[in-house]
Amino acid sequence: MKTIQVDPGRPDPAAIQQAAALLRAGGLVAFPTETVYGLGANALDPEAVARIYAAKRRPSYNPLIVHVPDAAAAQALAADWPAHAAACAAAFWPGPLTLVVAKHARVPDAVTAGLSRVALRVPAHPVAQALLRAAELPVAAPSANRSSELSPTLARHVEKSLEAAVDLILDAGPASVGIESTVIDLSGSAPILLRPGSIPQMALERVLGPVSLPGSAGKPGEARPSPGMLDRHYAPRAELRLFTPCGVLDVRPDYTVGALLLTTQVMAQFPVRMPADPDGYAQRLYAELHRLDDAGCDLILVERVADTPEWAGVRDRLERAARRG
Ligand code: TXA
Ligand code: MG
């Protein structure tokens, strides 16, 4: 069996040792984090890292996040550890936050897609923590899905997308946060929020002072762009269309339609009432989109969420998923 079930709070040490040994041998291990499942490989081994790009069919210009068990291990991979990084680490790690800082020479270019900066994260999930400590290696891990497709919040989603390419999947049940980590670039004079997540901007600003936004789409020509954030992303197989209640919905009559709804109703074979709070919504978002895809939907209608800061993470994922091409 390639998938091993582990207790999310107290994972079986034998399973963790098996996964750690695979990582040390250059293999690919899918493991749970509190955000989404990651596809892990030894970040210091360019061949293992190349296997991640091949498995995901990820464009080589899109760098990977390196996962470590604590802030000291993160600092060891940075050429420079600014006061802002120390402050963020103290306030938010372990947790769903990724920091981009100048990279240490020991981080291979394969991980950063040739950039001089590296993205670092200390996940809180006990299984991720146990694995990182047992492997005694920094672990490069993008979300464990084919590039541009839906991220996995269940081991089953990983099996569906990548099973053939993965040496082992650790199944610890559903991810609690449900959308990818907040990514903040601290490598320049002012912090830039590259990817909104579950940590509200205001919480970041309490620690960092003003944080600038590149805009949810990531504008080309920005000073320090994040190469992977310009593309369509997080998309189901079905067409995803955002709508505002009271607007006119023009839907082909032969379409099988799913819908993620908050306040309104639409004609759909698979309507889903979503939680009205951003954390609850985020936790269920990918699982519902996977389910609607699996049900054979051609079109998924998604009621727009509020244009407020608390919804920024969810809004970003929905807008990217709705983008064509
Ligand atoms: O929650 C998460 O962050 C999950 C779990 C597994 O930790 N990982 C994840 O990885 O979402 P991925 O590869 O799907 O997204 C990483 C994002 C990409 O948009 C990439 O462009 C950005 O982080 N990134 C990585 N390294 C970067 C760097 N050196 N500079 C700027 N952006 C970077
Ligand atoms: Mg991803």
Side-chain angles (χ1 to χ4, degrees):
M1 251 321 245
K2 232 189 222 179
T3 302
I4 306 183
Q5 271 163 28
V6 292
D7 184 304
R10 287 164 44 95
D12 173 16
I16 295 296
Q17 283 305 334
Q18 188 184 339
L22 280 166
L23 288 174
R24 282 194 296 268
L28 294 186
V29 174
F31 64 97
T33 82
E34 66 275 30
T35 57
V36 299
Y37 277 72
L39 178 64
N42 177 359
L44 303 180
D45 175 355
E47 280 176 33
V49 170
R51 241 167 254 142
I52 292 180
Y53 281 90
K56 281 183 62 90
R57 305 200 189 130
R58 182 177 178 105
S60 58
Y61 59 77
N62 191 357
L64 305 176
I65 297 174
V66 179
H67 297 67
V68 287
D70 53 40
Q75 194 171 348
L77 299 177
D80 178 36
W81 195 243
H84 274 156
C88 276
F92 301 110
W93 278 352
L97 179 68
T98 295
L99 302 179
V100 174
V101 295
K103 91 171 182 75
H104 192 282
R106 76 168 65 90
V107 179
D109 285 338
V111 171
T112 61
L115 295 178
S116 59
R117 299 163 272 130
V118 61
L120 301 168
R121 166 153 130 82
V122 175
H125 196 296
V127 174
Q129 276 286 331
L131 179 61
L132 292 169
R133 289 185 191 281
E136 297 182 299
L137 287 171
V139 173
S143 52
N145 55 284
R146 281 272 159 76
S147 191
S148 88
E149 292 178 4
L150 289 175
S151 292
T153 57
L154 290 171
R156 180 158 45 77
H157 301 155
V158 183
E159 289 167 352
K160 198 169 75 171
S161 182
L162 291 177
E163 182 162 37
V166 183
D167 295 306
L168 181 68
I169 301 172
L170 294 176
D171 177 358
S176 60
V177 174
I179 58 172
E180 303 79 358
S181 62
T182 303
V183 180
I184 188 147
D185 184 349
L186 301 177
S187 68
S189 55
I192 301 178
L193 182 61
L194 295 177
R195 180 172 71 183
S198 63
I199 301 176
Q201 192 182 339
M202 264 185 36
L204 292 169
E205 291 189 329
R206 271 197 291 276
V207 174
L208 293 170
V211 168
S212 64
L213 296 173
S216 62
K219 293 186 194 109
E222 204 135 77
R224 284 173 282 140
S226 182
M229 297 201 190
L230 300 172
D231 311 336
R232 180 176 195 247
H233 242 109
Y234 319 120
R237 188 188 40 72
E239 175 189 346
L240 187 146
R241 204 188 299 166
L242 302 177
F243 76 95
T244 313
C246 304
V248 177
L249 287 170
D250 182 21
V251 174
R252 274 176 54 172
D254 57 325
Y255 267 7
T256 300
V257 180
L260 302 186
L261 304 169
L262 286 165
T263 62
T264 191
Q265 295 194 31
V266 295
M267 295 289 282
Q269 287 90 332
F270 298 98
V272 182
R273 179 79 31 200
M274 292 296 282
D277 66 294
D279 290 345
Y281 192 112
Q283 206 268 324
R284 274 183 54 195
L285 174 62
Y286 289 132
E288 295 301 344
L289 293 176
H290 275 287
R291 210 170 55 76
L292 294 175
D293 254 354
D294 295 346
C297 289
D298 302 295
L299 174 66
I300 302 173
L301 297 169
V302 180
E303 184 177 343
R304 281 187 189 278
V305 300
D307 194 11
T308 55
E310 317 82 77
W311 284 94
V314 165
R315 207 167 51 241
D316 169 77
R317 303 310 185 277
L318 292 176
E319 283 168 3
R320 284 170 200 280
R323 220 177 292 156
R324 308 286 188 89

